[in-house]
Amino acid sequence: TLLITGATGSGKTTLLGALMAFAPPTERLVVLEDLSELSIDHPHVVSLECRQPNLEGAGEVTLTRLVREALRMRPDRLIVGECRGAEWADLLRAFTTGHQGGATTLHATSLRDVPMRIDSLASLAGLTSHQAALHTASAIDLVIHVDAISGGLRRLSFGVPFVTQEGALRVLPVEEMADSTNTSGG
């Protein structure tokens, strides 16, 4: 399961669409978004979009509700265009209950800032920091951070979420994992 992070306009959504296009053509991709902007070149994509309430305040369909309803559609990959709120907790629950191979994006300025952003989103759903850390470390296999640099180029950083002995969420950059492996006597 992938988490793609970056600042506004860094290319998170474009990268997500490009990566999901590599899913096997036999897989069903269920894409959930506030506003449809994710384009995936894949033969089996089902896209669902949030709906604002009508003038009487009825008929609203939130991203949280879409996440819950999408699980009934038996997705091989559940993809949320961008997590901005309490839907983060529902998405984590989906990813930790057998819906492997999903992906989403969220705003963060660096790999180091990802835990703080996740903690903020999880608190909107009533999760404690420790619960958010445990669920995230279990659900997310890889964090890809996108930085826009001069000339339209992008720099990617890779990290793996883990829970510290104190129970806090951290994202360990992949190069630090390699360094610790190389210096541990091997």
Side-chain angles (χ1 to χ4, degrees), residues 56-181:
E56 291 81 31
E60 180 178 29
V61 179
T62 65
L63 202 49
T64 298
R65 181 170 172 199
L66 284 181
V67 169
R68 292 178 184 171
E69 298 297 330
L71 298 179
R72 295 187 177 106
M73 300 176 74
R74 296 181 301 131
D76 293 302
R77 295 185 190 266
L78 182 61
I79 302 158
V80 175
E82 183 176 339
C83 280
R84 292 186 180 108
E87 70 275 359
W88 176 253
D90 291 299
L91 192 58
L92 287 178
R93 287 183 196 106
F95 289 161
T96 58
T97 57
H99 290 86
Q100 296 294 316
T104 190
T105 71
L106 61 84
H107 286 271
T109 55
S110 68
L111 281 178
R112 185 179 60 244
D113 291 339
V114 169
M116 179 182 59
R117 181 71 173 137
I118 287 173
D119 193 49
S120 296
L121 296 179
S123 70
L124 294 172
L127 293 180
T128 65
S129 294
H130 185 65
Q131 290 170 325
L134 292 173
H135 283 279
T136 301
S138 176
I140 304 298
D141 299 310
L142 181 66
V143 179
I144 303 172
H145 184 77
V146 184
D147 280 312
I149 54 178
S150 64
L153 299 175
R154 303 294 188 260
R155 178 179 45 235
L156 302 180
S157 305
F158 301 89
V160 177
F162 72 100
V163 180
T164 66
Q165 289 181 345
E166 297 79 24
L169 179 65
R170 296 289 179 261
V171 176
L172 182 65
V174 171
E175 60 272 8
E176 289 181 27
M177 290 175 61
D179 289 345
S180 67
T181 303

Side-chain angles (χ1 to χ4, degrees), residues 11-81:
K12 299 179 300 292
T13 302
T14 302
L15 179 60
L16 177 60
L19 291 174
M20 291 299 102
F22 287 104
T26 56
E27 290 188 353
R28 169 186 253 179
L29 281 59
V30 177
V31 178
L32 313 174
E33 297 181 273
D34 275 326
L35 296 170
S36 184
E37 59 181 342
L38 187 58
S39 176
I40 301 174
D41 184 16
H42 189 276
H44 200 173
V45 176
V46 176
S47 294
L48 303 174
E49 190 175 337
C50 293
R51 184 174 60 209
Q52 297 299 313
N54 64 18
L55 292 175
E56 291 81 31
E60 180 178 29
V61 179
T62 65
L63 202 49
T64 298
R65 181 170 172 199
L66 284 181
V67 169
R68 292 178 184 171
E69 298 297 330
L71 298 179
R72 295 187 177 106
M73 300 176 74
R74 296 181 301 131
D76 293 302
R77 295 185 190 266
L78 182 61
I79 302 158
V80 175

